[in-house]
Amino acid sequence: GNSVTQMEGPVTLSEEAFLTINCTYTATGYPSLFWYVQYPGEGLQLLLKATKADDKGSNKGFEATYRKETTSFHLEKGSVQVSDSAVYFCALSAAPNRDDKIIFGKGTRLHILP
Amino acid sequence: DADVTQTPRNRITKTGKRIMLECSQTKGHDRMYWYRQDPGLGLQLIYYSFDVKDINKGEISDGYSVSRQAQAKFSLSLESAIPNQTALYFCATSVAGDYYNEQFFGPGTRLTVL
């Protein structure tokens, strides 16, 4: 079946450090891939997305590239800020534009120290 | 701003009690979802509804029921609450036919069953 695996947290970094959160997936066909972010006390919100191989999603300084050969969608940011502290979820939609659901990873909690 | 709202935001109840969590949306979306979030387990889908007359079980529907009273309202009920239903519950919406199947989340309801 379809699944998403992301690195376990918590991840603790100092401000201005480089961030990578690993995400790999298993899916049939050509899924769309997403990163959602959950700030403290809030629901999830879409951070970025990519729909086909080699697409790069980007938003708020975060980037992730859809790598079909390695079935990965790692999240990166060159210089993190304290305000980036949150839980990050990798997710996939296995059949875009059809009646299918999103599968979420377990989430990675990120702490940024000032 | 169009929004997804959940009531109550926090609830403490006792084992065996019936409880209802409510979700309302002003986005005009057809699809609505209920998720449960437990630490380290990510999000698990409880029920989803693609329109008022189309309600489907998710991965963990046992012990829960739902009602789609209108396009804008989707309620989750625990008929007889038990302590292992203590969790954070999220409602989400999406647009039918959206290629990306982006989901929009409410702020969550923290439920504690004693």
Side-chain angles (χ1 to χ4, degrees):
Chain A
N2 300 322
S3 65
V4 173
T5 303
Q6 61 183 104
M7 64 189 291
E8 292 188 16
V11 174
T12 302
L13 297 172
S14 296
E15 203 166 25
E16 299 183 0
F18 183 87
L19 168 71
T20 300
I21 300 178
N22 291 337
C23 172
T24 57
Y25 68 90
T26 302
T28 55
Y30 302 94
S32 290
L33 301 174
F34 310 87
W35 278 100
Y36 280 78
V37 58
Q38 182 183 24
Y39 297 106
E42 298 182 11
L44 281 70
Q45 55 187 272
L46 183 66
L47 179 62
L48 54 82
K49 61 193 175 193
T51 60
K52 59 183 186 296
D54 300 324
D55 264 2
K56 178 183 286 187
S58 61
N59 187 25
K60 299 181 179 180
F62 290 90
E63 294 182 339
T65 300
Y66 189 144
R67 300 289 189 197
K68 192 167 178 62
E69 65 274 16
T70 55
T71 61
S72 65
F73 193 55
H74 304 321
L75 183 67
E76 297 181 336
K77 186 174 185 181
S79 177
V80 292
Q81 306 299 312
V82 172
S83 58
D84 294 326
S85 298
V87 182
Y88 292 82
F89 292 89
C90 186
L92 72 80
S93 178
N97 213 28
R98 286 176 52 200
D99 292 342
D100 212 328
K101 301 171 290 296
I102 289 184
I103 297 169
F104 290 90
K106 294 183 177 182
T108 302
R109 184 174 297 277
L110 175 65
H111 294 289
I112 305 301
L113 304 175
Chain B
D1 190 19
D3 216 343
V4 182
T5 57
Q6 294 183 233
T7 55
R9 293 294 311 277
N10 289 282
R11 180 71 183 267
I12 300 174
T13 191
K14 295 182 179 180
T15 297
K17 294 291 187 181
R18 183 180 188 276
I19 185 167
M20 179 181 289
L21 309 182
E22 298 188 354
C23 176
S24 295
Q25 53 111 348
T26 57
K27 291 186 170 294
H29 291 173
D30 293 316
R31 299 183 177 186
M32 299 187 74
Y33 309 79
W34 275 105
Y35 291 94
R36 167 178 172 158
Q37 183 181 26
D38 297 277
L41 293 179
L43 272 73
Q44 296 174 278
L45 183 62
I46 306 173
Y47 271 94
Y48 61 103
S49 171
F50 285 158
D51 64 41
V52 174
K53 296 183 179 181
D54 182 6
I55 295 178
N56 306 278
K57 293 183 177 180
E59 13 173 359
I60 56 162
S61 59
D62 287 349
Y64 301 95
S65 63
V66 291
S67 173
R68 185 83 183 265
Q69 301 95 323
Q71 187 205 36
K73 296 184 181 297
F74 192 36
S75 301
L76 176 72
S77 294
L78 287 68
E79 297 301 326
S80 179
I82 56 176
N84 76 1
Q85 291 177 313
T86 294
L88 191 54
Y89 290 84
F90 287 104
C91 175
T93 71
S94 69
V95 177
D98 174 23
Y99 182 81
Y100 302 106
N101 196 18
E102 178 179 355
Q103 298 196 359
F104 297 83
F105 284 80
T109 294
R110 186 169 296 280
L111 176 65
T112 303
V113 183
L114 302 176

